[in-house]
Amino acid sequence: MSDGSKFLNDVHAYFDKAAAFTNHPKGLLKQIKVCNGIFTFKFPVEIDGSIQVIEGIRVQHSHHKTPTKGGIRYSEMVDEQEVEALATLMTFKCAVVDVPFGGAKGGIKINPAKYQVKDLEKITRRYTTELIKRNMIGPGIDVPAPDYGSGPREMAWIADTYATFKHDEINALGCVTGKPLGQGGIQGRTEATGLGLFFGVREALNNKEDMKKLGLKPGITGKKIIVQGLGNVGYFSAKFCSEGGGLIVGIAEREGGIYNAKGLDVEKVFKHRKEKGSILDYPGAKNFKNSLELLEMECDVLIPAALENQITKTNASRIKAMVIAEGANGPVTKDAEEILNKKGVMIIPDLYLNAGGVTVSYFEWLKNLSHVRFGRMEKRFQEIQTSRLLAALENVTGKKLDKVQTQLVVHGAEERDLVNSGLEETMIAAFNEIRNIRNSNPKIEDLRTAAFVSGINKIAASYGALGFWP
Ligand code: NAD
């Protein structure tokens, strides 16, 4: 069985397990589980004088809400089942964090490192054209985003291609998210997944009852943390967890891992890898030649933030962390999860924990549709109001704040403040919803099942809203 089919089987098994804890009719559950549409296509691109046939895919898992939403992967490893599994996860992820989209995912089967920028641009623009031809992209239809191997540059090409074909569509920029700031992007999108992960982990670790069961003191402060992957999700997760009081003791990358029980400086490790081309030989840290070995080292929280299938039945019993925070999609296999659940390990699941990216993508889409930057209308007004209030208080009390304190109090919300605050609220509210579902039924042992139950219930309710289901 390919890794992609195994991943899809695992996602379906998680769904079935959770569905058994709901009382929706069988037919409705089937509709919520099945994939609504898979579109595979091949197209020619001229590269250095010869024609190359490129394979593309777009999977729209659920149309219970539109637009559908999900990233585009640029990788030679793209396979249909893997993309379907990721699109399915997107459906439940959006539901769990109350983002009003159906799930989707796409892929272009190329190794981007083997192409020049001009050729990547041609491929991306042609992939977009194939979607436009079939009415499979648009601010109200399907809204892609970056994923493994793609970033803001590719999203800008997609937006530009779409806007060229749909020059009279006023909301054209909302056809894709994760765009550069100057081309309709939003402050805070780049770090959103890592920041969202931090909010989720902090909320989980703050719960006294749960921490007591795990034999840990409540709070993130001083918790020993290992992170796998120093890419977008891994780097920002490590950075925010460290700034929030956690102690990053280990970091793994594709060439191996480093460990120092006294803690690592995330920025310095990042700089070291950039300069030396490897994470290994970082001063004061022990080297591990294999990234997987590092995952078995002593720590409280393990954050796999690189790839799927990293914690399997082979290494699950050797994992020492009592909390596994899934930054990547599908880093823990189902077999491994059974072993870890028996050990009492808390797994904070991907479909909740890495939803920060899609949450801020939703904010970007809202910004594109409203054609106004968040904070533009109210910032000054807020500042004037607060200044007046402060002046009145100072008058009454006869005490004055210094310049720095005044600035802190008076500062009106800018786009980044509002984005981060919306993200924090989303992650905290969703965690408590999931935790309450887990606690409401002693047979629901884990947060993943609870998160799927939360997603299924919300999707079922949205079919009710359409009148299909009383
Ligand atoms: P990325 O390409 O920025 O980073 C991945 C990192 O993992 C790279 O630095 C790569 O060198 C490293 N890596 C590869 N093989 C490794 C190995 N064997 N051991 C250790 N490190 C290894 O990608 P990303 O955007 O950070 O995505 C990582 C995961 O998070 C993926 O599963 C992705 O689907 C998921 N995710 C990403 C986002 C997002 O907003 N970027 C949102 C949700 C989920």
Side-chain angles (χ1 to χ4, degrees):
M1 192 190 280
S2 74
D3 279 356
S5 355
K6 199 172 170 319
F7 188 16
L8 183 59
N9 278 351
D10 280 1
V11 173
H12 283 163
Y14 293 140
F15 175 91
D16 292 339
K17 186 176 170 191
F21 292 107
T22 69
N23 55 7
H24 307 298
K26 261 191 181 168
L28 181 63
L29 287 170
K30 188 173 176 194
Q31 173 58 36
I32 294 173
K33 177 179 174 181
V34 295
C35 183
N36 291 178
I38 299 176
F39 173 47
T40 57
F41 47 105
K42 297 187 175 68
F43 53 88
V45 177
E46 190 249 282
I47 288 167
D48 294 334
S50 59
I51 302 283
Q52 274 192 28
V53 178
I54 307 287
E55 287 179 46
I57 180 166
R58 186 72 185 164
V59 175
Q60 295 176 352
H61 171 261
S62 178
H63 294 139
H64 74 286
K65 284 203 169 148
T66 46
T68 46
K69 183 102 193 71
I72 304 175
R73 229 164 230 219
Y74 285 47
S75 159
E76 268 173 330
M77 311 296 284
V78 160
D79 101 342
E80 193 175 312
Q81 274 85 19
E82 182 197 59
V83 181
E84 187 182 336
L86 290 163
T88 310
L89 272 182
M90 279 304 292
T91 292
F92 295 100
K93 192 178 293 189
C94 290
V96 163
V97 292
D98 290 330
V99 163
F101 297 143
K105 205 81 183 186
I108 304 181
K109 201 167 174 144
I110 56 163
N111 176 353
K114 289 192 181 155
Y115 290 86
Q116 293 183 39
V117 173
K118 66 178 174 52
D119 298 326
L120 284 174
E121 180 172 355
K122 268 192 204 171
I123 294 169
T124 305
R125 287 185 183 277
R126 182 59 195 255
Y127 175 89
T128 311
T129 312
E130 294 295 323
L131 295 179
I132 296 170
K133 268 172 18 187
R134 290 156 182 97
N135 208 20
M136 288 191 67
I137 182 171
I141 301 169
D142 187 3
V143 181
D147 195 71
Y148 203 86
S150 62
R153 179 184 66 184
E154 286 72 17
M155 302 307 112
W157 292 330
I158 293 174
D160 185 61
T161 309
Y162 184 83
T164 306
F165 279 87
K166 310 269 179 175
H167 53 88
D168 57 347
E169 204 177 293
I170 194 164
N171 293 325
L173 272 181
C175 74
V176 67
T177 59
K179 302 178 290 292
L181 256 185
Q183 282 148 301
I186 193 166
Q187 298 274 1
R189 173 62 183 88
T190 310
E191 61 270 41
T193 308
L195 183 59
L197 179 142
F198 161 68
F199 290 140
V201 169
R202 186 189 63 186
E203 190 64 13
L205 295 180
N206 274 345
N207 191 283
K208 285 185 193 151
E209 217 178 289
D210 286 354
M211 289 307 108
K212 200 172 166 196
K213 280 189 200 144
L214 299 177
L216 296 173
K217 274 193 195 156
I220 192 167
T221 307
K223 290 284 178 303
K224 291 186 171 172
I225 300 173
I226 290 178
V227 183
Q228 185 195 37
L230 205 53
N232 177 289
V233 182
Y235 165 73
F236 284 112
S237 299
K239 173 183 158 69
F240 292 119
C241 286
S242 151
E243 286 171 7
L247 192 66
I248 308 295
V249 291
I251 301 181
E253 252 296 334
R254 51 176 94 223
E255 62 275 11
I258 52 169
Y259 186 88
N260 183 343
K262 289 188 185 140
L264 298 162
D265 183 316
V266 178
E267 295 304 327
K268 284 188 184 157
V269 172
F270 190 79
K271 203 165 153 235
H272 167 88
R273 182 165 192 256
K274 212 168 172 194
E275 281 168 11
K276 312 269 181 207
S278 167
I279 202 167
L280 299 173
D281 300 327
Y282 179 75
K286 186 177 172 206
N287 279 341
F288 289 79
K289 287 269 152 56
N290 181 336
S291 148
L292 285 179
E293 274 177 59
L294 186 80
L295 309 189
E296 299 174 18
M297 287 299 290
E298 196 68 47
C299 68
D300 302 308
V301 182
L302 175 60
I303 306 179
L307 305 163
E308 293 97 24
N309 299 328
Q310 294 303 290
I311 302 171
T312 61
K313 63 180 178 201
T314 315
N315 59 358
S317 58
R318 296 195 296 270
I319 299 292
K320 311 235 174 19
M322 284 310 283
V323 177
I324 297 180
E326 293 187 329
N329 284 313
V332 178
T333 64
K334 191 161 182 306
D335 305 334
E337 177 160 281
E338 280 160 19
I339 298 168
L340 293 160
N341 282 346
K342 277 194 193 123
K343 270 176 69 181
V345 173
M346 173 192 269
I347 300 175
I348 315 179
D350 48 7
L351 79 155
Y352 156 69
L353 196 60
N354 66 29
V358 73
T359 303
V360 175
S361 273
Y362 167 47
F363 300 157
E364 178 178 333
W365 179 79
L366 289 174
K367 175 184 179 181
N368 295 149
L369 300 196
S370 66
H371 301 267
V372 63
R373 181 183 82 233
F374 286 107
R376 179 173 173 181
M377 306 301 284
E378 60 272 47
K379 179 175 181 272
R380 296 265 154 202
F381 181 74
Q382 267 178 4
E383 288 182 354
I384 292 165
Q385 289 274 71
T386 323
S387 300
R388 284 185 187 140
L389 184 66
L390 186 63
L393 283 172
E394 287 177 341
N395 240 341
V396 173
T397 59
K399 288 182 185 160
K400 251 187 166 322
L401 294 184
D402 66 29
K403 235 182 164 182
V404 178
Q405 289 167 329
T406 306
Q407 179 54 27
L408 262 178
V409 174
V410 167
H411 170 80
E414 289 174 22
E415 182 164 273
R416 184 182 293 274
D417 301 314
L418 292 166
V419 165
N420 290 353
S421 140
L423 177 61
E424 186 170 5
E425 166 59 21
T426 303
M427 296 308 291
I428 291 175
F431 181 80
N432 288 302
E433 270 178 16
I434 296 168
R435 191 177 172 275
N436 288 343
I437 290 176
R438 186 201 60 188
N439 291 356
S440 68
N441 184 338
K443 287 191 179 152
I444 302 181
E445 301 165 311
D446 56 288
L447 292 171
R448 191 187 313 278
T449 306
F452 268 95
V453 170
S454 166
I456 292 170
N457 284 340
K458 287 178 185 176
I459 297 167
S462 78
Y463 276 102
L466 292 173
F468 293 149
W469 154 240

